[in-house]
Amino acid sequence: MAAKEAIIITDKDEMRKWTRSMRAQGNTIGFVPTMGYLHQGHLSLVQDAHNQADLIVVSIYVNPGQFSPNEDLSTYPSDFQGDIEKLNSVPGGVDVVFNPKNLYDYGNSQIGNGSERNLEESGGMVVSCVEDKGMGHEAWVRVEKLEKGLCGNSRPVFFRGVATVVTKLFNIVEPDVVVFGKKDYQQWRIIQRMVRDLDFGIKVIGSEIVREHDGLAMSSRNVKLSPADRQRASSISRALSRAQVEAEKGQVNCRELINTAILTISEAGGTIDYAEIVDQESLEPVETIKRPVVFCVAVCFGKVRLIDNVEIDL
Amino acid sequence: MAAKEAIIITDKDEMRKWTRSMRAQGNTIGFVPTMGYLHQGHLSLVQDAHNQADLIVVSIYVNPGQFSPNEDLSTYPSDFQGDIEKLNSVPGGVDVVFNPKNLYDYGNSQIGNGSERNLEESGGMVVSCVEDKGMGHEAWVRVEKLEKGLCGNSRPVFFRGVATVVTKLFNIVEPDVVVFGKKDYQQWRIIQRMVRDLDFGIKVIGSEIVREHDGLAMSSRNVKLSPADRQRASSISRALSRAQVEAEKGQVNCRELINTAILTISEAGGTIDYAEIVDQESLEPVETIKRPVVFCVAVCFGKVRLIDNVEIDL
């Protein structure tokens, strides 16, 4: 049975016009921002969006603004045609796929009078985390505390880039509800805080992690794992589950829980970037579990960096 | 002849609801953000907004987020009743005065679960430029280059606070067009850049400076001048006009133009904070006038700091 086919929109103004016209007809708009190379985790975000809104927009855009020069922007996997097929096969489908070419190209801007760096001068590539190459892009959204810990330690410009591109997408798509995956727990909390602090008229939904059969959290980066590392990587979710069970049994000492988890993952061959138990909202490290916490880890298997987490609500 | 009376809205959600309902009826919304204590300069922004949009919203809100602890937040003048009367007497009036109590009070937030600092703990006052007293507010919009020069030198958190509160107001009021005064030239350019870089679906209008009979640019702070300083302060616009005339006659050496202006203002008793001729868009200092520039000054008379500028388009 063929589901409906998504309209593909690449132009910012056309995207905003679509939303406004649909809203004027009484529809609510749900939005799922992605960087493409979709997997079941993304599709579950779309399903959650269907429970929240009448019409669904999914964006597919690999945001250069959140990658450091030494990160994997150029090798980030993509499969646009496959993505569209997957989205069309979700129950209820999606209404629009927003697929802009370059969100940092302000060629038509009222401000661009020639004094701006333009796309050609910068070699056609936006590396906006390095502001001098950003074609004059210089407005950034910072969520100053939440952006600092966890992934912020090893990826200092990452959340600045995420918060900024999400703001841009919110202003273009103008949704009523947005769905983010809890797999990127810090990102979800940052967006939630940003929406509150900047008074976006948008509801933010956190969607549960979708896992492979052996527990590995779904991620576009999983395909980069060698077959052996793919097997070993299941140690991450195993370690987190065990911590959750131990905490429920009464082990509230975070140091103990973390050490056990690190051991499990290291023995499987993973290199720990961080393993922290933090408050679910402030993301500040916790020593003893007394209120809702989340156990977050980032682990490298080979060159592939994976993140995962588990909420512990005692 | 009585003009229409503005509706006064204090609640964020009610404000957004008003805009959406008016837009659904086919109206465009013009918006003029102010800190109150209105003068003819503000009213001229409202008049410009009438030329751009069907319905007009004026916000009156003294934003604590843009004041440093040592600045004049607590003594910033206010006259809400007088402001309303002035707005009601503008030809065409205004439709809504948005007068929120505290834009940084997130008491009803989905995030506030008690781990947040609340309004009472912070003594009822938000000093959000010091983030630890901001009741958990931590999302800030930075326009990283434009915020640095001119007023940014002596007021390092000022434009962070301005860009952030304007983002909040944009997200609450959801206007089609906004009008800013060119008297706050750097602010106008920062908002324009922010709107472009963050893809707000909003048109930004710059409104010409309105002056007193002797040339002094209108400002809410003018009332704080002693009678003698009030007279002397006209030296500012005199110096800027003279520079403009000299440039038009062929003097394109900025150092010369600046020195003459500084002399005029200093002789009148003003203390120069800065006097710079800068590119109209990048706001970067210019040595020789070859393209559109703006001559910007900040001057203290007594304890009152005044800013003014003149565009020079050769």
Side-chain angles (χ1 to χ4, degrees):
Chain A
M1 190 187 75
K4 70 181 163 196
E5 286 200 6
I7 307 166
I8 297 169
I9 295 181
T10 59
D11 183 72
K12 293 175 184 182
D13 294 332
E14 199 186 327
M15 182 66 245
R16 189 182 290 117
K17 208 169 145 189
W18 181 88
T19 294
R20 291 194 176 186
S21 118
M22 291 301 149
R23 179 172 290 130
Q25 292 167 41
N27 296 293
T28 55
I29 315 295
F31 176 43
V32 180
T34 82
M35 301 217 297
Y37 210 72
L38 305 179
H39 50 66
Q40 192 53 44
H42 296 106
L43 303 184
S44 118
L45 304 181
V46 174
Q47 283 163 330
D48 282 358
H50 269 299
N51 294 329
Q52 300 282 338
D54 302 320
L55 302 174
I56 309 299
V57 178
V58 173
S59 65
I60 297 181
Y61 179 63
V62 180
N63 172 39
Q66 71 196 55
F67 288 82
S68 297
N70 63 335
E71 289 179 338
D72 60 350
L73 172 60
S74 61
T75 62
Y76 198 86
S78 81
D79 175 17
F80 188 71
Q81 235 11 75
D83 290 344
I84 297 295
E85 283 162 26
K86 284 174 190 158
L87 291 171
N88 284 341
S89 71
V90 172
V94 315
D95 296 279
V96 171
V97 172
F98 179 50
N99 181 228
K101 193 176 167 213
N102 180 351
L103 285 181
Y104 300 88
D105 180 4
Y106 305 110
N108 299 321
S109 160
Q110 53 179 328
I111 294 178
N113 71 341
S115 67
E116 305 294 309
R117 220 172 288 263
N118 66 33
L119 192 58
E120 277 169 55
E121 283 173 39
S122 67
M125 174 50 74
V126 183
V127 186
S128 54
C129 51
V130 184
E131 64 189 70
D132 279 344
K133 290 185 184 165
M135 294 182 305
H137 179 97
E138 53 172 304
W140 297 98
V141 179
R142 310 293 302 256
V143 182
E144 295 193 348
K145 284 185 196 165
L146 290 177
E147 74 177 18
K148 287 201 172 77
L150 302 175
C151 286
N153 288 323
S154 57
R155 306 186 74 185
V157 302
F158 178 64
F159 289 116
R160 182 185 82 159
V162 168
T164 301
V165 82
V166 169
T167 294
K168 288 164 74 74
L169 288 166
F170 285 1
N171 285 338
I172 295 165
V173 177
E174 295 188 345
D176 298 283
V177 184
V178 293
V179 184
F180 283 82
K182 287 194 187 179
K183 197 268 219 164
D184 301 304
Y185 200 89
Q186 187 176 13
Q187 169 176 283
W188 170 52
R189 288 301 192 186
I190 283 174
I191 298 304
Q192 212 176 28
R193 184 62 56 106
M194 179 186 92
V195 162
R196 186 199 72 166
D197 283 5
L198 300 183
D199 287 308
F200 281 96
I202 296 174
K203 184 177 173 188
V204 182
I205 303 291
S207 191
E208 299 305 327
I209 299 174
V210 179
R211 299 183 178 279
E212 304 286 356
H213 295 299
D214 64 352
L216 180 66
M218 289 202 184
S219 163
S220 302
R221 290 189 171 95
N222 290 352
V223 296
K224 294 181 164 187
L225 291 163
S226 72
D229 282 339
R230 171 64 193 78
Q231 271 203 305
R232 296 173 188 134
S234 67
S235 60
I236 302 173
S237 60
R238 210 162 55 239
L240 291 176
S241 293
R242 181 170 164 189
Q244 188 183 34
V245 170
E246 284 179 7
E248 282 165 358
K249 282 186 185 160
Q251 175 56 280
V252 293
N253 181 316
C254 294
R255 197 64 259 161
E256 294 292 330
L257 293 168
I258 291 169
N259 285 343
T260 308
I262 288 178
L263 194 64
T264 304
I265 298 168
S266 302
E267 281 180 351
T271 309
I272 306 284
D273 177 1
Y274 63 78
E276 290 188 48
I277 296 177
V278 298
D279 180 271
Q280 280 185 17
E281 290 188 359
S282 70
L283 304 187
E284 280 170 14
V286 167
E287 286 182 17
T288 307
I289 303 176
K290 292 174 186 163
R291 53 199 156 123
V293 295
V294 54
F295 190 167
C296 297
V297 297
V299 178
C300 286
F301 280 92
K303 286 184 177 174
V304 184
R305 184 173 176 279
L306 302 172
I307 61 173
D308 198 352
N309 68 79
V310 63
E311 287 179 317
I312 301 174
D313 303 291
L314 295 189
Chain B
M1 192 186 75
K4 71 181 163 194
E5 286 200 6
I7 307 166
I8 297 169
I9 295 180
T10 58
D11 183 72
K12 294 176 184 184
D13 294 332
E14 199 186 326
M15 182 66 245
R16 188 181 289 116
K17 206 169 148 191
W18 181 89
T19 293
R20 291 194 176 185
S21 118
M22 292 300 148
R23 179 172 290 130
Q25 293 168 41
N27 296 293
T28 56
I29 315 295
F31 176 43
V32 180
T34 82
M35 301 217 297
Y37 210 71
L38 305 179
H39 50 65
Q40 192 52 44
H42 296 106
L43 304 184
S44 118
L45 303 181
V46 174
Q47 283 164 329
D48 283 359
H50 270 298
N51 293 328
Q52 300 283 339
D54 301 321
L55 301 173
I56 309 299
V57 178
V58 173
S59 66
I60 296 180
Y61 180 64
V62 180
N63 172 38
Q66 70 197 57
F67 288 81
S68 297
N70 63 336
E71 289 180 337
D72 60 349
L73 172 61
S74 61
T75 63
Y76 199 86
S78 80
D79 176 17
F80 187 70
Q81 233 15 72
D83 289 345
I84 297 296
E85 282 162 28
K86 284 174 191 159
L87 292 171
N88 284 340
S89 71
V90 172
V94 315
D95 297 278
V96 170
V97 172
F98 179 51
N99 180 226
K101 193 175 167 211
N102 181 352
L103 285 180
Y104 301 87
D105 181 4
Y106 306 110
N108 299 320
S109 159
Q110 54 181 327
I111 295 178
N113 71 341
S115 68
E116 304 294 307
R117 219 171 287 263
N118 66 32
L119 192 57
E120 276 169 58
E121 282 173 39
S122 67
M125 173 53 72
V126 183
V127 188
S128 53
C129 52
V130 184
E131 65 188 68
D132 280 342
K133 290 187 182 163
M135 293 184 304
H137 178 97
E138 54 171 302
W140 297 98
V141 179
R142 310 293 302 254
V143 182
E144 294 193 349
K145 283 184 197 166
L146 289 177
E147 75 176 19
K148 287 201 171 76
L150 303 174
C151 286
N153 289 323
S154 57
R155 308 186 72 185
V157 301
F158 179 64
F159 289 115
R160 181 184 84 159
V162 168
T164 302
V165 82
V166 168
T167 294
K168 288 164 73 74
L169 288 166
F170 283 2
N171 285 339
I172 295 165
V173 176
E174 296 188 343
D176 299 282
V177 184
V178 293
V179 184
F180 283 82
K182 287 193 186 179
K183 199 268 219 160
D184 301 304
Y185 200 90
Q186 187 175 11
Q187 169 177 282
W188 170 52
R189 288 301 193 188
I190 283 174
I191 298 304
Q192 212 175 28
R193 184 61 57 105
M194 179 186 92
V195 162
R196 187 199 71 166
D197 283 5
L198 299 183
D199 287 308
F200 281 97
I202 295 174
K203 184 176 173 189
V204 182
I205 303 292
S207 192
E208 299 304 328
I209 298 173
V210 180
R211 299 182 178 281
E212 304 287 357
H213 294 300
D214 65 350
L216 180 66
M218 288 201 185
S219 163
S220 303
R221 290 189 171 97
N222 290 351
V223 297
K224 293 182 166 186
L225 291 164
S226 72
D229 281 340
R230 169 64 193 79
Q231 270 203 304
R232 296 174 189 131
S234 66
S235 60
I236 302 171
S237 60
R238 211 161 53 239
L240 292 176
S241 295
R242 182 170 163 188
Q244 187 183 34
V245 170
E246 284 178 6
E248 282 165 358
K249 282 185 185 161
Q251 175 56 281
V252 293
N253 181 314
C254 294
R255 198 64 258 162
E256 293 292 331
L257 293 168
I258 291 168
N259 285 342
T260 307
I262 289 179
L263 194 64
T264 304
I265 297 167
S266 303
E267 280 179 353
T271 308
I272 306 286
D273 177 2
Y274 64 78
E276 291 188 47
I277 296 176
V278 298
D279 180 273
Q280 281 186 15
E281 292 188 357
S282 70
L283 304 186
E284 280 169 14
V286 167
E287 285 182 18
T288 308
I289 303 175
K290 293 174 187 163
R291 52 199 158 125
V293 295
V294 55
F295 190 168
C296 297
V297 297
V299 178
C300 288
F301 280 92
K303 285 184 177 173
V304 184
R305 184 173 175 279
L306 303 171
I307 60 173
D308 198 354
N309 68 80
V310 63
E311 289 179 315
I312 301 174
D313 303 291
L314 296 188

